[in-house]
Amino acid sequence: MEMAGARGGRPRVGLVPTMGALHAGHQRLIDLARAECDVVAVSVFVNPMQFDRDDDLQKYPHTLESDIELCAASGVDVVFTPTAAAMYPAPPNCTVDVGRVADHLCGRHRPGHFRGVATVVMKLFQIAQPDRAYFGEKDAQQLAVIRHLVSDLNVPVDVVAVPTVREPDGLALSSRNQRLTPAERRVAPALYEAIGVARQQIEAGIVDATRVRQAATRVIEQRQGITLEYLEIVEPVEMQPVDRVDHPVIAAGAVWVGSTRLIDNVLCVPPPASPKRTGKGGS
Ligand code: AMP
């Protein structure tokens, strides 16, 4: 690993952008940043610009004291906790417009969400000037948006993707899980189960994306207390839906459990295509 000595004495800075209510998923990002960087900064900022619903913003959990404790125990050097007024002293004139990568999935269901995400991440990059920034695969479309942001706007930051941390029953860790009642918590893993069905079907060689989607959707529809917002099979770069699954794809979904919205996704890799017969060679 190339550390400060090999970089002319300039420390390598790692940034972990978060909205707080930190859990073991965030911890995984922080631990990786700590292992790879000289200076680790964690931002805790519930960004109003990325919320499409005021009630969701109002209900978002805040646990700043324990967040700072987790950061201190994990060897974080800087915790950046700006107020909304500090980040947006006035409504911004200039924001980051996000194109087709936001056309489906969460982008379709949360208008303006990714413009808010891309704008705040760009601001955090300018403020912290990181060499590397750490993002979870749990938010696959967000990760794709950030990758496009960095390459389209020539931002000198390495984006590092970190695998999703899950509960033993498969539920992806999320700050929003805190809001689930015990009954809601019991039904919540159905989302992971559904996208798992999509993965199984794809791994079994089913190439018709509509058929895969229907099988996965059925898992949610058969349950009480959970409502599907979307479940899509998309390619992993531009996040566009596919008709045929002949390359690795992402099965991504969003559900409502009571008044809580949860998202999750898995990478699904089809089996290698059987070799074409050429009529030549062999016995
Ligand atoms: P959030 O505070 O929810 O905005 O998340 C901050 C960062 O942590 C984002 O890059 C998320 O993708 C990542 N993250 C959230 N939950 C998980 C998880 N369960 N596993 C891995 N990364 C996560």
Side-chain angles (χ1 to χ4, degrees):
M1 191 195 334
E2 187 200 357
M3 290 296 255
R7 307 175 75 247
R10 202 171 67 79
R12 171 175 289 172
V13 177
L15 174 66
V16 182
T18 82
M19 296 205 299
L22 300 183
H23 51 65
H26 299 111
Q27 175 91 55
R28 184 73 61 85
L29 274 62
I30 293 170
D31 289 347
L32 190 58
R34 183 67 285 167
E36 294 185 346
C37 302
D38 303 298
V39 176
V40 175
V42 172
S43 60
V44 175
F45 179 56
V46 183
N47 174 33
M49 197 178 158
Q50 72 188 67
F51 282 78
D52 55 319
R53 298 162 60 112
D54 201 44
D55 60 326
D56 191 26
L57 174 61
Q58 299 312 326
K59 282 189 299 192
Y60 202 84
H62 291 261
T63 59
L64 189 55
E65 259 179 49
S66 61
D67 291 350
I68 291 171
E69 277 167 26
L70 182 147
C71 288
S74 311
V76 170
D77 299 291
V78 179
V79 185
F80 179 54
T81 63
T83 60
M87 289 294 273
Y88 303 109
N93 275 289
C94 300
T95 57
V96 179
D97 194 14
V98 181
R100 61 192 175 281
V101 65
D103 281 352
H104 297 276
L105 313 175
C106 293
R108 179 155 168 228
H109 291 271
R110 301 184 68 186
H113 171 65
F114 285 116
R115 167 191 291 245
V117 169
T119 301
V120 81
V121 168
M122 193 64 162
K123 285 167 74 74
L124 292 168
F125 284 175
Q126 302 299 334
I127 294 164
Q129 303 269 308
D131 298 281
R132 292 188 175 187
Y134 295 80
F135 293 90
E137 289 176 354
K138 148 125 191 319
D139 299 278
Q141 193 176 20
Q142 169 171 283
L143 179 59
V145 166
I146 303 301
R147 287 194 193 286
H148 288 287
L149 169 78
V150 161
S151 74
D152 291 346
L153 301 182
N154 304 86
V155 184
V157 174
D158 287 335
V159 174
V160 182
V162 182
T164 303
V165 179
R166 301 181 177 283
E167 299 282 5
D169 62 6
L171 178 66
L173 265 55
S174 164
S175 304
R176 289 189 166 89
N177 293 354
Q178 291 185 15
R179 302 205 313 229
L180 301 173
T181 65
E184 289 170 348
R185 172 63 188 82
R186 282 194 290 278
V187 75
L191 174 56
Y192 180 60
E193 215 181 291
I195 54 180
V197 164
R199 179 162 59 185
Q200 278 161 19
Q201 298 236 322
I202 290 167
E203 286 176 354
I206 295 174
V207 293
D208 178 355
T210 305
R211 200 173 140 197
V212 170
R213 222 176 127 216
Q214 281 168 351
T217 303
R218 221 170 292 131
V219 175
I220 306 285
E221 287 170 352
Q222 284 167 351
R223 298 292 160 83
Q224 299 283 316
I226 183 165
T227 309
L228 190 66
E229 183 180 275
Y230 69 75
L231 197 154
E232 299 278 352
I233 311 295
V234 298
E235 48 75 27
V237 177
E238 301 257 346
M239 297 279 143
Q240 301 300 309
V242 299
D243 294 328
R244 275 181 65 79
V245 185
D246 42 18
H247 286 92
V249 292
I250 287 176
V255 292
W256 286 89
V257 184
S259 61
T260 303
R261 183 177 179 276
L262 301 175
I263 62 170
D264 202 353
N265 70 90
V266 288
L267 182 69
C268 312
V269 181
S274 46
K276 288 209 173 66
R277 287 164 192 255
T278 61
K280 287 187 208 155
S283 51

